[in-house]
Amino acid sequence: MLGKTAAGLFWMFRFLERSENTARLVDAGFRIALTRSAAAEAEWASIINTAGVRQGFLERYDAFNAANVIDYLLRDRDNPSSVMSVIGNARTNARMVRTALTREVWEATNEGWMTIRDLLKRPVSENGLPDILATIRRQNALVRGALTGTMMQNDVYNFAHLGIFIERADNTARILDVKYYVLLPSVSYVGSSLDNVQWETILRSVSAQRAYRWLSDGTANPRQIADLIILDKRMPRSLAFCAGQISEHLGFLAQAYGNEMPSHDLARAHVKRLADHSIESIFESGLHGVLSDFIGRNNALGQQIERDYRFYG
Amino acid sequence: MANRPDVFDEMHGSGEACRSPYSGYADWFQRQGAQSLRKKSRDAEVFFRRTGITFNVYGQQEAEERLIPFDIVPRIISGREWSRLTRGIEQRVRAINAFLHDMYHRQEILRSGRIPVDVIAANAAFLPQMIGVEPPGGIYTHIVGIDIVRTGEDEFFVLEDNARTPSGVSYMLENRETMLRMFPELFSRVAVREVSNYPKLLRRSLAACAPPGCSGSPVVAVLTPGIHNSAYFEHAFLADQMGVELVEGQDLQLVDGRIAMRTTRGYTPIDVLYRRVDDDFLDPMSFNPDSQLGVPGLMDVYRAGGITVANAPGTGIADDKAIYSYMPDIIQFYTGESAILKNVPTWRCAEPDALAYVLEHLDELVVKEVHGSGGYGMLVGPAASKREISAFADKLKSRPGNYIAQPTLALSTVPVLTKAGLAPRHVDLRPFVLVSPGKIEITPGGLTRVAMKAGSLVVNSSQGGGTKDTWVLEE
């Protein structure tokens, strides 16, 4: 496979993943804004922080209100992380690697882009928002379905998944990192209950509210929430799950290519670092520190993969 | 429907009766409701958009990718007509290859005086770097598109030869795919010859032209200028259908005397490069030094026999419009036969008598730039205003050698589906030819381009033309 093709696949799926994560973030913010208007501004600000676009946002707007944030995160082409920008980038990358994709995957990507582009032509009203967010997630699900249903499970498949899980790991870690203060104060004394709306938001932004209901007794327990999102290997957006998937797909590449690269060592270390932790030790050594360390390692691993497989020559 | 009496309609001939190649289709068509046909027509557009069969228009940076309009009424050619066409095309393609070999070797045809030396000496498409080079297998034009127009029952003319990097074959394939999807029942009623194995034949044909030193299965790759090129869809489509890599200049590098592509596992040498990049951009060390699209050192490797470049660099001298007018002589010279397919009569404006005639008759002629393509920079006399004609006359007088002129042919029409039912529109045809050592293969069909405006003779997609599926019937 061409190095350029590996790069195109990696980024195509990173961008698609990012569009879905952004949609989920906006959804979580929207819920909070609906339920408690007093805190809405702070919530929207924290969502802008999580998306990593604070500076760009403040260059354009003065206030963190729903209309501004929704427009900036969904439609603004000057925002490189807006849904509009990233699905455009995903499609451009898909065109570049068209020869590595099945017709089904390409058409799902192209159709998704056309659908979402049309939906986002005009500013999004609050009434229309839930539908649009659902569509963004559904279109992503179609691409992923076509990917697993029609593609050979070879290096093409592995580079696509490396993109998905590097992006997802980064996103989950950042959601937690922006919100960790919500979990912290109450961790210190047993039996405290969390601010319900806040923890709902965290769970909702990683689609884990249902999982949490089934795994816990239903009360908000910060340890259990953090454990689920950081260490639970069954949860498809947890840090441990993502790190494990990255390592696994790199393992398939090593098998197919007959050799390991420096990124394999990094990936193993990434997995081990999490495995060595218990949720207690994470809170003891400091949640923020652990998350920052994870984000840094995850980025370094992504860059090492780009070098090892000659993405850019 | 009303046909102009002086125009040959391929469905109805010059009268009302249906010509026999169309009888099966016409039977079927009669039983279709207007509404359901229009719905199919819209479905086709959705299908094309979803598939991403789009093209970019040059000079329109901001423009969205555009769809070439597709018309659902097929253009139908009988088996008998087709076999006559193929004989003429084969002859022409053989002559073109012989001509190119001669031009870059002994130049016998110039010595014989059949073609004036000026036509070659002043030709920018002639590449001195190719003099004396033996392309692998002796093939210069691996892929050729011959543009053919029709004016009557037995009147076919070659309008243009495309010997550089002819495009459009992906539309031939996707148009058929679309028709099969939308009208499966039609194909069980009418026996239409297959086009779908073109990519397989293309790969085999390219592989057969691998350099002599190549052992094992040749590594083939398609070289594209990149995703912003107007024909990018086709480049990706062909690479995908052949199952070979689609590369850009930045993926390639000179490694141990070979041109190799950067893969996730290191560099892999390429044996055959199907390039869709113009000569001038192929190798900054030999041609345009600013080119980012090619590979430095490609020409050295090529001359040393380390890679096949398809089509060979320098084939443009066989297809410019000044050479075109000599085609009947060229065919006679190399094959000893007279041309089976006629040329459109052509005035070379470089010649004073011809220029005088052309200036007199601008309102009835089509004048084209010698090196132009895509329908840009041409004058269609009968459709032009007085002012356009006089402006063009000035251009013509200042650089007569830059132009040729042809009579406005009454191009045949084929019906298209309009809101008001069937209506005749002018068409041309580009069959695609594959050349490998000892073999010339012509896919039965080709790309039918159709002017979507009533009366218009301009079929180019860059000027709003559309396409049709082209059927060649089993004999």
Side-chain angles (χ1 to χ4, degrees):
Chain A
M1 181 200 298
L2 292 178
K4 176 190 65 186
T5 307
L9 286 162
F10 181 81
W11 283 104
M12 170 187 169
F13 282 94
R14 274 199 81 155
F15 284 127
L16 284 174
E17 182 69 24
R18 193 173 299 176
S19 73
E20 183 174 346
N21 290 331
T22 303
R24 200 176 277 109
L25 267 182
V26 171
D27 190 33
F30 186 58
R31 290 271 169 166
I32 283 210
L34 285 183
T35 45
R36 50 163 73 176
S37 41
E41 174 131 349
E43 277 313 313
W44 285 122
S46 95
I47 277 164
I48 287 286
N49 293 344
T50 308
V53 293
R54 186 185 176 87
Q55 203 186 338
F57 181 86
L58 288 175
E59 280 166 20
R60 173 153 294 205
Y61 299 107
D62 299 327
F64 290 100
N65 62 38
N68 291 350
V69 172
I70 290 171
D71 208 73
Y72 193 70
L73 288 182
L74 295 188
R75 302 179 62 238
D76 199 324
R77 282 177 197 263
D78 292 335
N79 170 10
S81 295
S82 74
V83 167
M84 205 52 235
S85 297
V86 295
I87 61 159
N89 292 344
R91 178 179 180 268
T92 303
N93 277 281
R95 281 190 78 202
M96 201 174 87
V97 301
R98 177 66 189 82
T99 53
L101 304 174
T102 56
R103 189 160 190 144
E104 284 88 343
V105 172
W106 160 249
E107 286 185 6
T109 309
N110 192 40
E111 212 176 341
W113 171 78
M114 290 190 293
T115 308
I116 295 168
R117 182 192 53 174
D118 289 348
L119 284 176
L120 294 180
K121 272 215 173 102
R122 279 170 298 283
V124 176
S125 71
E126 293 202 357
N127 279 341
L129 185 65
D131 250 4
I132 288 180
L133 297 176
T135 306
I136 294 169
R137 286 157 70 168
R138 190 163 53 239
Q139 293 297 340
N140 264 297
L142 287 175
V143 178
R144 269 202 308 274
L147 177 71
T148 42
T150 66
M151 299 272 293
M152 292 268 293
Q153 310 232 339
N154 56 9
D155 47 358
V156 172
Y157 195 76
N158 300 137
F159 284 113
H161 279 89
L162 287 172
I164 291 176
F165 289 112
I166 292 268
E167 180 69 26
R168 187 181 294 176
D170 180 65
N171 200 263
T172 300
R174 278 190 294 119
I175 288 172
L176 274 182
D177 200 26
V178 171
K179 286 282 182 189
Y180 78 97
Y181 63 90
V182 180
L183 295 167
L184 277 188
S186 40
V187 163
S188 45
Y189 47 94
V190 184
S192 77
S193 79
L194 271 176
D195 176 335
N196 267 320
V197 177
Q198 289 287 1
W199 70 260
E200 271 277 352
T201 314
I202 297 178
L203 289 171
R204 187 176 289 281
S205 53
V206 292
S207 288
Q209 62 280 41
R210 181 181 174 279
Y212 187 75
R213 275 201 302 277
W214 281 85
L215 290 173
S216 69
D217 56 9
T219 57
N221 176 324
R223 270 170 212 280
Q224 282 183 344
I225 292 176
D227 192 40
L228 176 65
I229 297 179
I230 298 174
L231 294 179
D232 197 323
K233 290 188 192 123
R234 298 165 300 178
M235 214 290 272
R237 313 196 86 81
S238 77
L239 302 187
F241 182 85
C242 294
Q245 287 292 310
I246 293 167
S247 188
E248 191 166 307
H249 282 283
L250 279 170
F252 290 134
L253 282 178
Q255 264 178 31
Y257 290 180
N259 60 338
E260 288 205 345
M261 306 298 270
S263 44
H264 288 87
D265 289 334
L266 286 186
R268 270 192 293 269
H270 204 39
V271 171
K272 183 161 187 306
R273 193 113 176 152
L274 282 177
D276 287 348
H277 271 303
S278 64
I279 200 64
E280 283 72 24
S281 72
I282 287 176
F283 278 109
E284 269 158 35
S285 57
L287 182 56
H288 176 62
V290 170
L291 291 171
S292 307
D293 176 62
F294 181 89
I295 292 171
R297 284 168 172 274
N298 190 58
N299 282 341
L301 177 53
Q303 286 162 12
Q304 190 62 43
I305 291 170
E306 297 183 7
R307 279 192 295 276
D308 286 351
Y309 294 101
R310 301 174 179 83
F311 280 16
Y312 313 111
Chain B
M1 79 188 205
N3 287 326
R4 282 173 50 199
D6 55 333
V7 173
F8 178 74
D9 185 79
E10 298 191 12
M11 188 162 179
H12 295 96
S14 302
E16 280 301 308
C18 185
R19 289 178 64 247
S20 67
Y22 282 83
S23 60
Y25 180 78
D27 267 1
W28 172 88
F29 185 85
Q30 270 182 350
R31 265 169 283 135
Q32 307 304 308
Q35 214 167 11
S36 94
L37 282 172
R38 274 201 296 276
K39 179 175 182 307
K40 293 275 190 185
S41 195
R42 285 194 301 274
D43 290 350
E45 183 172 329
V46 171
F47 175 71
F48 276 92
R49 281 218 185 271
R50 197 175 54 214
T51 324
I53 310 179
T54 56
F55 73 108
N56 308 323
V57 179
Y58 282 121
Q60 296 190 349
Q61 282 278 308
E62 290 301 306
E64 299 256 327
E65 298 149 29
R66 277 214 241 150
L67 273 190
I68 297 187
F70 171 71
D71 177 70
I72 60 169
V73 181
R75 195 261 186 93
I76 306 176
I77 297 168
S78 73
R80 187 187 61 81
E81 289 166 342
W82 181 250
S83 59
R84 175 160 160 243
L85 280 177
T86 53
R87 278 200 310 281
I89 293 168
E90 258 189 65
Q91 178 196 49
R92 205 162 168 107
V93 169
R94 267 204 316 277
I96 287 174
N97 266 290
F99 169 70
L100 284 164
H101 187 270
D102 189 26
M103 275 304 105
Y104 290 115
H105 292 85
R106 293 180 49 81
Q107 304 195 326
E108 302 279 4
I109 197 166
L110 300 186
R111 294 166 199 237
S112 77
R114 305 272 185 111
I115 298 182
V117 177
D118 289 2
V119 176
I120 300 300
N123 199 319
F126 182 83
L127 299 182
Q129 294 90 336
M130 284 298 291
I131 293 174
V133 174
E134 285 300 334
I139 311 291
Y140 283 84
T141 56
H142 309 76
I143 299 110
V144 191
I146 306 281
D147 289 353
I148 291 172
V149 296
R150 183 173 200 179
T151 58
E153 189 63 57
D154 286 312
E155 301 290 306
F156 292 94
F157 294 91
V158 173
L159 192 61
E160 199 172 296
D161 305 289
N162 297 278
R164 300 173 205 213
T165 51
S167 62
V169 78
S170 57
Y171 294 97
M172 169 182 88
L173 296 166
E174 287 291 348
N175 288 354
R176 175 63 55 82
E177 196 57 35
T178 307
M179 291 293 280
L180 281 166
R181 233 186 235 220
M182 293 201 307
F183 306 109
E185 76 279 14
L186 249 178
F187 290 86
S188 55
R189 297 171 58 105
V190 184
V192 181
R193 292 184 61 186
E194 270 293 328
V195 294
S196 62
N197 64 347
Y198 176 85
K200 211 161 62 193
L201 296 178
L202 174 61
R203 181 170 182 171
R204 210 167 61 194
S205 180
L206 289 168
C209 299
C214 166
S215 57
S217 173
V219 176
V220 178
V222 177
L223 176 65
T224 174
I227 61 168
H228 301 296
N229 183 267
S230 62
Y232 177 78
F233 167 77
E234 175 156 304
H235 307 160
F237 178 88
L238 288 174
D240 186 41
Q241 295 281 312
M242 286 195 285
V244 305
E245 294 291 358
L246 176 67
V247 298
E248 295 175 39
Q250 62 200 23
D251 300 317
L252 303 182
Q253 196 171 309
L254 184 65
V255 180
D256 300 331
R258 303 284 306 277
I259 297 299
M261 54 187 170
R262 192 183 76 249
T263 76
T264 50
R265 314 169 71 170
Y267 280 89
T268 306
I270 295 173
D271 297 302
V272 182
L273 190 62
Y274 175 22
R275 51 88 173 211
R276 297 292 296 260
V277 168
D278 291 344
D279 287 355
D280 202 24
F281 298 99
L282 271 183
D283 179 353
M285 287 163 75
S286 293
F287 308 116
N288 182 347
D290 298 329
S291 170
Q292 306 277 316
L293 303 178
V295 203
L298 174 64
M299 281 305 286
D300 290 339
V301 177
Y302 180 64
R303 277 193 294 259
I307 192 168
T308 299
V309 176
N311 290 348
T315 53
I317 47 164
D319 72 3
D320 85 16
K321 295 184 178 72
I323 290 291
Y324 165 85
S325 63
Y326 294 98
M327 224 36 177
D329 306 299
I330 290 173
I331 292 169
Q332 179 77 46
F333 188 80
Y334 296 106
T335 68
E337 305 159 6
S338 52
I340 299 172
L341 286 172
K342 283 181 279 194
N343 255 30
V344 179
T346 302
W347 289 274
R348 306 171 189 124
C349 301
E351 297 166 9
D353 291 353
L355 178 63
Y357 177 88
V358 170
L359 285 169
E360 275 295 294
H361 297 85
L362 271 182
D363 59 337
E364 57 196 58
L365 298 174
V366 177
V367 190
K368 299 175 181 171
E369 286 186 21
V370 171
H371 306 296
S373 68
Y376 292 103
M378 67 188 258
L379 175 84
V380 181
S385 68
K386 280 231 167 68
R387 189 188 303 166
E388 283 166 335
I389 287 181
S390 88
F392 204 91
D394 293 339
K395 284 204 281 187
L396 190 52
K397 277 183 264 187
S398 67
R399 292 185 65 196
N402 197 33
Y403 295 94
I404 54 116
Q406 294 169 339
T408 323
L409 294 183
L411 300 191
S412 60
T413 56
V414 175
V416 298
L417 187 71
T418 69
K419 283 194 186 113
L422 292 184
R425 294 288 184 275
H426 295 291
V427 293
D428 79 353
L429 174 66
R430 176 179 293 178
F432 293 93
V433 190
L434 298 174
V435 189
S436 54
K439 209 173 198 175
I440 295 181
E441 292 168 295
I442 308 172
T443 302
L447 176 66
T448 289
R449 299 187 299 178
V450 53
M452 298 304 282
K453 270 183 259 163
S456 168
L457 293 167
V458 182
V459 296
N460 306 69
S461 56
S462 51
Q463 314 278 315
T467 68
K468 281 172 167 294
D469 189 19
T470 309
W471 292 5
V472 171
L473 302 183
E474 301 275 2
E475 284 198 71

